[in-house]
């Protein structure tokens, strides 16, 4: 969801594995690498990594 250019919320739901702390950090690392490569402001993003048990809402 993009509330504004300075407030973008991204939620990744892992369907095939549990969202352990290690998995969460791995996904976040990949995400922020892509943000950096595209010269985007990493402070604008709020990212959450969850598993399918977490549900669709933020």
């Amino acid at each position: 969801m993009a509330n504004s250019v300075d407030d973008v919320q991204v939620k990744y739901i892992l369907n095939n594995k549990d969202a352990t702390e290690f998995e969460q950090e791995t996904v976040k690392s990949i995400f922020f690498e892509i943000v950096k490569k595209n010269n985007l402001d990493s402070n604008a993003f709020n990212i959450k990594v969850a598993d399918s048990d977490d549900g669709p809402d933020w």
Side-chain angles (χ1 to χ4, degrees):
M1 174 175 21
N3 296 316
S4 71
V5 294
D6 296 330
D7 182 17
V8 180
Q9 297 177 351
V10 179
K11 182 174 182 180
Y12 284 98
I13 298 176
L14 306 178
N15 288 319
N16 59 347
K17 56 180 80 176
D18 292 335
T20 63
E21 189 173 330
F22 176 78
E23 293 296 338
Q24 291 179 44
E25 292 305 316
T26 301
V27 171
K28 288 177 182 181
S29 175
I30 294 167
F31 178 83
F32 283 113
E33 262 183 52
I34 294 168
V35 167
K36 183 178 178 181
K37 285 182 182 179
N38 287 282
N39 296 318
L40 301 172
D41 181 7
S42 63
N43 293 320
F45 293 91
N46 183 6
I47 183 171
K48 180 176 180 182
V49 180
D51 50 41
S52 57
D53 293 334
D54 188 48
D57 37 327
W58 190 257

